[in-house]
Every structure is written in structure tokens, then in C-alpha cells.
Amino acid sequence: MIGNTIDAVMTAWLGCPGWLQTGALVLLGVIVGAIANHAITTWCWFNRPSSPWAKINHWNLTGETAAVADSLPQRPWWSRVPVFGWIAMRAETPLFGSGFWIRPLCIELSLAAMLPMIHSAYLSGLFLPAVVPPATVAACATWLALIFFVHVGVIGAMVAATFIDFDERTIPDAITLPGTLIGLLIASCSPMIFLPGLELNGVGPVLFYSPETLTQRWMGVTGLLTGIGIWSTYCFAMADRRWIMRRGIVKALAWFWHALTRTGTWKWLLMLWLVGIVVIGAVHWVGNRYWVGLLTSLSGLAVGGGLIWVVRLIGRLALGKEAMGFGDVTLMAMIGTFVGWQAALIAFFLSPMAACVIVLVRWVITREAATPYGPYLCAGVALTVAFWDSVYNRNLRLTLMMLGGNLLWFGVAMALALLAMLWMWRLVKERLIQ
């Protein structure tokens, strides 16, 4: 029923005239950009009054800064209008510095320009093998349109996370936690995003078991326990944890429990965990395509977040310091719920390539070489989507089929090799310094 409703909505959208679709997508891009800008200035750790929605007199400005603020004209009502409002905000340059309004304006204009082009690329069969005939691409139009609109939300979240990470070296849970829940919900309610019902000439969405054959155990108790285990690990990872072994195991457990329960957030996490288990059990009971959709999303969460978490732990063990922030873990976990474990895996390995370009551009603009890793991951996801046919359909899919059940052990071997390499690098570095 849900799938039929979604299919009808997408069919109606595709039936709209081209000029109407373009206008709607431009407007959607402006709105998504405005929401991202609002999140960038208000969901960060240090909120900034440069947002048109913030009131300057609530920021306890003192001295010369307060005098400058008092001398500025009152913000007009249209300062909150996307794009045009930033022209009004230029009057506050004496308070926030020259050019503070350029970046948010560019974000809104860029998304307005990009969404129609991305929409056209998706509908032209961006994800499909190049050998697929035009008739098959046309038959997949409703599926591709649905993926586009889901990905628009992911784009907005990645834009907000990227620029907050640029500004503060943090990625707020206010973006990643709701985004993860939405991704899991969409996977449960919109199985046509993930499930093969469009397997024409070998075309089918990415699934948690792809490219292997679905076995009955994933539809049974094994699949249910796997889903519950992934969800439980995610909720535990979101908790405030401290493991300090300086005074023995008993003291470490005491400190761990104190850190876990010192704030009231553990009650909300406990409730979220219990509700999640109930929902997972209910979707599993319904079964069929809905369960495969949810397990696909959960596997994307596990691989996306798990890869970064493992690298973070290995970096700490080998180098004695944090290699990545935990915000990077939650960011890739969120993205994984939307794109699946295969795309999350590819994005992880493509992110260093994106890093080279981002670091260079950032250095040219700001003369800062240090860049947080969140933007690299988002760029890696964008590259994965853009070159999906080349990197997955033509190459990685065959590799995964050859590895089969040995993929997990291959990952463990790679992690151990990374640990050894970083540890040896640490020893060499210490010897050179001495």
C-alpha cells in the first residue's frame, strides 16, 4: 500500500511539465539551502548572531561591540527571505566582518542551481549500468525520482555538517541523530528504494545482501538478531562513555558508570533503544520487502559508522591520539542508512582523494592546511554517487562476489595491517625526533 502511494506520487511528479519541475526544484534548492544555513549558525556549539533569525541584543554584547550593534539599523522583515535577505544582512558588515554573508548566499544559490541538474542526472540513469537500454531507464523513472528526493534531504544534512565542521571541528548530533532515524524510517516505509521489483535487464537497487543471493536466515532469527545488534551498538555508541584504566578495572567500571549516568541523556537513549527494538521487531514480523529495506539501512549504518569508529580506535591505539572525531562516526552512520553499506564502503576509500582537492582549495582561500575529516567524507559520498556505475557496477560488485563470506575477514586483516603500519610510523617518528 505504501509502495503504491509513493509510486503514484512520483508518477504525478514525472507527469508535470518540464518548466514546472525546474521551477519547483529551484525553489526546493533555495529552501534546503536556507534550512542548512539556519542549522550552520544555530545548531553549532557556539551559536552565531549572524543568522537572520537571531536577535543581536540577546547575545550579551559589551563594550565597543555593543556600541556597533546599537548603531546598526533594525533588520527588515525580508532579511529572513532566502537569497534576497542576505543583501539586507550586508548592512551588518561592521559587526560581523566583510563577506560574512557571501558563503550562505552561495550555499542557497548553489543548491538552487544544482538540484535541477542532479534531478536530470538521476532520471537519465546515473546509477544504472551503461548497457541498460533507454526503455529500461524509462521504466525505472519513478524509482530514480524517489531516490533523488530522498537524497535531497541527505544533501542538506551534509552541507550543514560540512560547514559546521569547517567552522568548529564538530558535527552536532542534532543533525546526525534525527537524520539516522529518518533514514531508517524511510527504509522501512519505502522498500522500493532498496528492493528489486525493477529487475529489468539486471537492474536492481542496492540491498544489504547484494551482490550475494538472499538466504532465508536473513529473513529469520539471524536477520532479526543482526538488526537488533546493530541498533544496540549504535545507541551504546551515542552514550557518554569514559574508559580509564589508570586505577584498575574496578575503578574503571565505576568511572564508566558515572560518565554514563551523570546526565539525563541516558534515559532518552534508553527509551530510544527500547522503542527501536520494538520497531525492528514489528517490521521483522511484517517481513517481506519492508524488513529487507530496514535491514539494508541498518547494515549501511553499521558499515558507514563502523569503518570510521574502527579507524578512530586504531588511530588512538597506534598513535596515542584521536585520529578522527566521533562526529565523523555518527555522520557516516547517518549517510549509510540512506545509501547502503556498499556506497558507504566506497565513500570511505574515495574520501582521501577528495581530501587532496579540499585541502588545496581551503589553503588557497584561508591559508589553513588543517581541515576536519567530515567534509572529506561528504565529498567521498558525492563522488560515489556521481561515479556509481564505474566504481560499483563495473568493478566493486565483481570483487565483492569473489570475496563472498570472506569479506569480513578481509576487513579485519586490513584493520590489523593499518594498526601495524600506524604503530611503526609512530616508532619511526619518535626515533627521528629523539
Side-chain angles (χ1 to χ4, degrees), residues 1-15 138-146 189-190 192 198 289:
M1 179 179 177
I2 297 176
N4 293 334
T5 302
I6 294 173
D7 186 65
V9 173
M10 292 298 103
T11 301
W13 163 256
L14 294 173
C140 298
T142 54
W143 170 53
L144 296 172
L146 176 58
C189 298
S190 307
M192 65 177 295
L198 302 167
R289 304 184 305 167

Side-chain angles (χ1 to χ4, degrees), residues 27-347:
L27 180 60
L28 178 62
V30 170
I31 293 173
V32 172
I35 294 173
N37 281 327
H38 177 70
I40 291 168
T41 54
T42 59
W43 292 4
C44 52
W45 188 261
F46 298 102
N47 295 0
R48 292 182 287 280
S50 57
S51 167
W53 297 91
K55 294 183 178 179
I56 298 178
N57 59 350
H58 286 178
W59 290 82
N60 299 322
L61 302 177
T62 58
E64 184 179 347
T65 306
V68 172
D70 292 338
S71 66
L72 294 175
Q74 186 176 4
R75 288 174 177 171
W77 64 268
W78 58 278
S79 65
R80 297 179 177 180
V81 177
V83 179
F84 299 103
W86 293 107
I87 299 175
M89 292 291 291
R90 293 175 59 188
E92 299 180 5
T93 293
L95 183 61
F96 302 119
S98 61
F100 78 95
W101 53 276
I102 295 178
R103 189 180 77 178
L105 177 64
C106 290
I107 289 174
E108 295 173 5
L109 290 177
S110 298
L111 288 176
M114 288 172 57
L115 288 195
M117 292 187 291
I118 296 174
H119 179 263
S120 177
Y122 276 39
L123 293 185
S124 66
L126 179 67
F127 309 119
L128 307 183
V131 297
V132 172
T136 303
V137 176
C140 298
T142 54
W143 170 53
L144 296 172
L146 176 58
I147 294 179
F148 164 77
F149 283 108
V150 171
H151 284 186
V152 168
V154 183
I155 291 171
M158 290 197 302
V159 168
T162 292
F163 286 101
I164 292 177
D165 208 11
F166 272 137
D167 294 340
E168 298 187 343
R169 306 292 196 273
T170 60
I171 299 176
D173 293 339
I175 294 176
T176 56
L177 179 56
T180 300
L181 298 179
I182 292 172
L184 295 173
L185 179 63
I186 291 175
S188 303
C189 298
S190 307
M192 65 177 295
I193 295 181
F194 302 103
L195 290 176
L198 302 167
E199 292 204 5
L200 310 170
N201 295 338
V203 175
V206 170
L207 305 170
F208 76 95
Y209 57 81
S210 178
E212 298 178 359
T213 304
L214 175 64
T215 58
Q216 190 59 35
R217 67 192 181 105
W218 292 112
M219 302 299 291
V221 177
T222 300
L224 176 62
L225 294 178
T226 300
I228 291 176
I230 293 172
W231 176 247
S232 301
T233 303
Y234 175 77
C235 291
F236 174 75
M238 294 295 294
D240 187 6
R241 311 173 318 280
R242 298 289 188 276
W243 187 254
I244 305 173
M245 285 289 294
R246 288 197 300 265
R247 298 186 181 179
I249 185 68
V250 176
K251 199 66 175 178
L253 288 172
W255 280 336
F256 176 81
W257 179 254
H258 174 71
L260 200 65
T261 59
R262 64 176 178 172
T263 63
T265 55
W266 71 271
K267 299 178 182 178
W268 292 103
L269 278 174
L270 179 61
M271 185 182 301
L272 183 66
W273 175 64
L274 293 174
V275 171
I277 289 179
V278 172
V279 172
I280 291 172
V283 176
H284 180 266
W285 179 76
V286 172
N288 203 354
R289 304 184 305 167
Y290 300 95
W291 170 243
V292 177
L294 178 58
L295 193 55
T296 295
S297 188
L298 285 169
S299 65
L301 182 156
V303 172
L307 278 172
I308 309 301
W309 200 1
V310 168
V311 171
R312 185 173 186 263
L313 293 176
I314 289 176
R316 180 158 190 160
L317 287 173
L319 301 176
K321 61 181 180 179
E322 300 289 354
M324 293 183 181
F326 196 75
D328 299 325
V329 177
T330 57
L331 175 66
M332 275 306 295
M334 177 195 73
I335 294 173
T337 62
F338 288 95
V339 301
W341 71 268
Q342 298 90 339
L345 180 65
I346 296 170

Side-chain angles (χ1 to χ4, degrees), residues 321-380:
K321 61 181 180 179
E322 300 289 354
M324 293 183 181
F326 196 75
D328 299 325
V329 177
T330 57
L331 175 66
M332 275 306 295
M334 177 195 73
I335 294 173
T337 62
F338 288 95
V339 301
W341 71 268
Q342 298 90 339
L345 180 65
I346 296 170
F348 174 76
F349 287 104
L350 288 183
S351 58
M353 299 172 57
C356 297
V357 178
I358 294 175
V359 169
L360 179 61
V361 173
R362 182 172 171 81
W363 181 83
V364 170
I365 296 175
T366 65
R367 289 298 188 269
E368 292 183 18
T371 305
Y373 206 76
Y376 306 161
L377 295 172
C378 293

